[in-house]
Amino acid sequence: MTRRPPKDHLDELIEQVIVDAYTDDEELSSFQVMIGDNLAVPFETNVLGLQVTVTAIDFRVGSGIVAICRHGQQRQAIGILDLPLPDPRPVGAEWIDAYRRWAG
């Protein structure tokens, strides 16, 4: 099983994201950019028993930061905090961990 980064590293990542943000919306937008820039896509994972390919990270009003998942011809946006990550975790997954810590 791939290890998650230590909490102090997550705090450093959070600080990188929010340093120039002045509101919660700006912080959320900054997380979306950092996750989108650093998470290696595409990657495969399982959602509700189906193998899906995560093709992109996006922001959707009402849903927040989402992973765009594809299964065959079907596409679905899944909240990034609800997305099960594969083992091994994709490069950049620590940004999701930092977002989870910030959002918690």
Side-chain angles (χ1 to χ4, degrees):
M1 177 180 247
T2 306
R3 294 182 51 200
R4 292 178 184 226
K7 288 184 179 182
D8 58 339
H9 178 65
L10 295 180
D11 291 337
E12 291 171 10
L13 295 179
I14 292 168
E15 183 59 30
Q16 286 181 42
V17 171
I18 66 172
V19 66
D20 291 326
Y22 297 102
T23 67
D24 287 345
D25 288 340
E26 288 179 359
E27 290 177 0
L28 182 60
S29 177
S30 294
F31 269 107
Q32 187 264 322
V33 168
M34 292 302 273
I35 293 169
D37 286 351
N38 291 286
L39 184 64
V41 294
F43 66 88
E44 297 199 358
T45 192
N46 285 299
V47 175
L48 297 174
L50 295 174
Q51 186 167 2
V52 301
T53 302
V54 176
T55 59
I57 302 301
D58 199 1
F59 182 84
R60 301 273 171 97
V61 175
S63 299
I65 301 171
V66 297
I68 306 303
C69 300
R70 181 176 42 87
H71 177 76
Q73 297 299 317
Q74 302 293 319
R75 292 182 187 266
Q76 179 71 41
I78 297 175
I80 197 76
L81 297 180
D82 295 326
L83 182 72
L85 293 173
D87 187 19
R89 292 158 41 98
V91 171
E94 66 270 15
W95 290 98
I96 296 173
D97 296 330
Y99 174 57
R100 180 174 280 112
R101 182 177 174 98
W102 174 85

